[in-house]
Amino acid sequence: MIETPDIERPSKELVAGLAKIGSATASGELSRLGIRDPHIRGLTPWTRGKAVVGPALTLQFMPKREDLYRVDEYADPEKQLHRHVLYHTQPGDIVVVDARGDMGSGVFGEMMLTYFKGRGGAGVVIDGCIRDYTHVQHLDLPLWLKGVTPNFHTQTNIVPFAVNVPIACSNVLVMPGDIIVADDDGVVVVPIKLAPELLRTASEHAEWEEFSRIRLAEGA
Amino acid sequence: MIETPDIERPSKELVAGLAKIGSATASGELSRLGIRDPHIRGLTPWTRGKAVVGPALTLQFMPKREDLYRVDEYADPEKQLHRHVLYHTQPGDIVVVDARGDMGSGVFGEMMLTYFKGRGGAGVVIDGCIRDYTHVQHLDLPLWLKGVTPNFHTQTNIVPFAVNVPIACSNVLVMPGDIIVADDDGVVVVPIKLAPELLRTASEHAEWEEFSRIRLAEGA
Amino acid sequence: MIETPDIERPSKELVAGLAKIGSATASGELSRLGIRDPHIRGLTPWTRGKAVVGPALTLQFMPKREDLYRVDEYADPEKQLHRHVLYHTQPGDIVVVDARGDMGSGVFGEMMLTYFKGRGGAGVVIDGCIRDYTHVQHLDLPLWLKGVTPNFHTQTNIVPFAVNVPIACSNVLVMPGDIIVADDDGVVVVPIKLAPELLRTASEHAEWEEFSRIRLAEGA
Amino acid sequence: MIETPDIERPSKELVAGLAKIGSATASGELSRLGIRDPHIRGLTPWTRGKAVVGPALTLQFMPKREDLYRVDEYADPEKQLHRHVLYHTQPGDIVVVDARGDMGSGVFGEMMLTYFKGRGGAGVVIDGCIRDYTHVQHLDLPLWLKGVTPNFHTQTNIVPFAVNVPIACSNVLVMPGDIIVADDDGVVVVPIKLAPELLRTASEHAEWEEFSRIRLAEGA
Amino acid sequence: MIETPDIERPSKELVAGLAKIGSATASGELSRLGIRDPHIRGLTPWTRGKAVVGPALTLQFMPKREDLYRVDEYADPEKQLHRHVLYHTQPGDIVVVDARGDMGSGVFGEMMLTYFKGRGGAGVVIDGCIRDYTHVQHLDLPLWLKGVTPNFHTQTNIVPFAVNVPIACSNVLVMPGDIIVADDDGVVVVPIKLAPELLRTASEHAEWEEFSRIRLAEGA
Amino acid sequence: MIETPDIERPSKELVAGLAKIGSATASGELSRLGIRDPHIRGLTPWTRGKAVVGPALTLQFMPKREDLYRVDEYADPEKQLHRHVLYHTQPGDIVVVDARGDMGSGVFGEMMLTYFKGRGGAGVVIDGCIRDYTHVQHLDLPLWLKGVTPNFHTQTNIVPFAVNVPIACSNVLVMPGDIIVADDDGVVVVPIKLAPELLRTASEHAEWEEFSRIRLAEGA
């Protein structure tokens, strides 16, 4: 039987606090805290208007090699690691996938995402694709993707390799349990250790921005 | 006078049968039938929510070379090959264009696409662009494209070269008369000889998926 | 104090005249006037259905070099050049930015674009990104962009360098004061000296197209 | 049995004349004759210091599709089209291959190139790779390539499809029988119909360049 | 103190046997054994004419994140993981690095490579760069690289992350202890379990090729 | 008559001092002085084994626009700006060109480079190409290039636009008069104001490296 590690989840207060700032404020403040570029580039919000904040479950794909990957594996779908990462889902979790930028692999399809949504999953971040978008769009599940494809997850170049390990998602390091802040501007990774300080400085910044917005509207 | 070959069209039953499966099922089953990757990558459904299935009329572009292409040709638009492929249109046909990935050539404009729609054309697949999208969007014609451009079809780098010949559309071989299955997940090419077997296996698979979906909804 | 040059603006008649043709006609006619490719490739209309015509304010970014760029500059935001280009805004102006194609720099955010809109700015063209899209989308300001990002404008690789100078926007030369014609097909740059002749030939062409459209609708 | 067309070869005088000018002069003069860009970009002279001029035998690859390509074909190597193009070799011929830019397919190996060299083949131009370079380098055969690979020609993505047909080599159209001028600056395609005029104007230009070179050396 | 795992080394007979076949034969035979594409693309033999075969020590880089990487680490160079992989060097070993394709990081410099060479290291394979090439070229150490750079290994985007773990080198999976076959055609990864069978089939193939070469030279 | 600005040249002592360190030391030390990445990526030393240090003459290309560029200009070659930058050449100068990465424009040919060499020019750095390499290679002039092409400098997409202005060479800012340090590892730009401090710290570092090298050779 396959055992994969779970993540440590942040306090509800931390997540709720960060949910009040957007990805733009998060990125700017992280920059001031020394993180040069926390933005996962190249992903598009597939579901405009959604904003989510939550801890990262991580899934790592690696290049497919035929001697290590056997189609027979599919006789027992329970061995498929892209399922196992979802088994850890708790309400508010965001699954982040290192799909190696591959545009010919649909990491999750309708059934997996229905399950994830049912478990309270809050969002999906992939530097690659999902499939079954015709049906998936009706799930109302926030998605940040490079694209969609009709291909299944191991059809061409990649295979799931590890769950809840450090990954590189489109050249940004994501540790399991880091906090994801995602909205229409994109996806920002908040290192869990910096999250409390980010919350403090960003809240101040948000107040200042609100003040400026009012002043601007008043004609200043 | 220019003569270009027509295509052989599949039976209505075959098209109707394949219309019941989506591109995701088609790609997965073709993979099991030995076709590694039937997905035409890099195209976006420009008209979300559309799904079409039909035989491929093909148009091949080649790099423009000034000694072979003369602007004077346009004194007689009837010599323009991008028109000739559309002259073959029968209801349900899908025109598939090898535009060499070029982003500076609008393969068809409003007038050509109005004509195509009027003849019963079911969809347009181009590894390149159309133009006049401001007007074309009102035609309600399903489009899978790399993009749009204001440029006309021979303005920069490419010229139409042949009609209803084998083409490479974004690195997938398309034979005239192959069946195209296209929806929000993308475009899949079904080799005509494999279509009957695909229909048979995919129908079984679709039933199984439907069953799984019900079970999943029931909490399994 | 920073002084940057203003642009010379075209006559209202010229702009109004060009506003009647679309980018597709503009590009085709410019091609006939000797401009091979006036289309700024790679930008997406972020606000579908908008069409604008107006003179170009230009802003040039250059690669960031730490000895020339100091974060301290931000003690005095008035020195930031991306503000200065907007200070020149007159109703109908379009700001065109050479952002070097950078996908990790949000050239303008909500506050700058609110200001621009308030001054009567007609549209924004960037071979790069804006930020704060969550809020900016409510401004109803026409945008042609490569993307959006949460990062601020000098966070990673580039810095604003000059205002109302000749720029290269995605490999098209734009002179300050050139006329921009932008719609759902994309952005076309009309060299100011060619604008009157373009207006004359394009108007004829537009009439012919209108005639053809009617004929086509009548079944010809 | 497979029959493929041969090419028409130019006069020895024409080839000998063009052999006196280099690719730089050829490209510049063709530009003045209306050919905007006759340079096949992206290829590297794998054999520095070689210069060849001769007619083009052409070979076209297409994307591999498993239902049309069977490994069993290799029970009879005589059916392999990449052999057939070489069967046409006459002394001085240059084989030009549209390998679709693929970096995982070695179009020819040592045995094919040994044969080609033995038949008097003058050079190889591929927008892709050869294999067996360890041995091939000793053949002293001029090569312009994108790279080398250990993979054989149909191992991954492409298959040979047609011989002595019009091809696109790295976005330049090459007609069978066109004249190739290749040296350390790269590969230029001379449309056969323009070759006589190119020879005339280039010879004049070459004289003028020689004169300038002498003057420059004299200190002017 | 840092402890990193060592690899299991193949028998001398296996390595010696594989050293008699080249990368081209290895790739072709692995393809027949079911490995679709064992070629690490995009690397150039920086030292023409070298051929090496040996087991893979692996080093994995990840994107740099400032909260996890501190420059202070360099107060104690002994913590730098790119050193630790070299500490495992035994004569004949080949170090294979997943440098994420980064062109701004010199993974090893003169001192590290002098040490590696001194320990009997047989070759270096990086999907990225080394630095100090001015001096390194005199070490006569076989190198397959994407390029060279003056930058040190953590100067810009990446940091060493793990030693002797599974890596992806330019989209090919490499397990620690796999056998590398590298020469002027490029680098091929031989999965260690397939190595004995590869040796058997490749030896047969090599004999057949030798026979063909003789026949070809005799005029057949 | 065209007048273009000259540059201010550094002291001979500064250049001589920096000539003793290589590009690797220069890049590492500049990193410690706050310049994140001074390496001009993507260029290859076309003349292996050369190392040069000297002040930068700069030439900026812009996208070609037919209404601003007339072939007639060439009736008077004296107006061509790519000549004017070379007119400023003093012994030891290095010409650095922003050619916009264009691979279809040979910025300089044999005659220009012969002139430059004759004036004492020390090296050429282009994020693009030269032409006439067949002849140029005999000039023994150090070259760092993206490639070579037979095309002349304004044949396709770009035209020279300004001399001795700030440029971006492959995404690195170069100010006229900055010091270029170039060798087999690549090209590093030393901001002129940082040059004295770089010289001081790099000299210390060089001594330490020399010491380490001796220790390493002694077996430490």
Side-chain angles (χ1 to χ4, degrees), chain F residues 2 11 29 40 52 56 70 72 74 76 89 97 111 121 123 126-127 132 137 143 148 154 158 170 175-176 193:
Chain F
I2 293 171
S11 72
E29 293 301 320
I40 301 182
V52 298
R70 297 287 170 213
D72 316 322
Y74 281 77
D76 183 1
T89 311
V97 183
M111 281 191 268
I126 309 176
D127 68 345
D132 286 337
Q137 59 193 293
L143 306 167
V148 295
T154 59
I158 57 174
S170 195
M175 306 296 283
K193 283 186 198 158

Side-chain angles (χ1 to χ4, degrees), chain E residues 51-116:
Chain E
V52 299
V53 173
L57 299 168
T58 67
L59 174 62
Q60 183 190 39
F61 275 76
M62 284 290 255
K64 186 173 168 180
R65 203 169 83 177
E66 291 79 0
D67 65 314
L68 296 176
Y69 164 80
R70 296 287 171 212
V71 178
D72 316 322
E73 163 190 359
Y74 282 76
D76 183 1
E78 274 316 302
K79 289 188 183 154
Q80 300 173 4
L81 284 175
H82 75 313
R83 293 169 175 255
H84 282 265
V85 67
L86 301 188
Y87 293 166
H88 292 288
T89 310
Q90 294 190 10
D93 285 355
I94 296 174
V95 62
V96 184
V97 184
D98 172 358
R100 305 186 59 73
D102 196 87
M103 298 306 287
S105 306
V107 165
F108 299 117
E110 183 194 7
M111 282 190 270
M112 289 295 102
L113 293 176
T114 300
Y115 170 86
F116 178 63

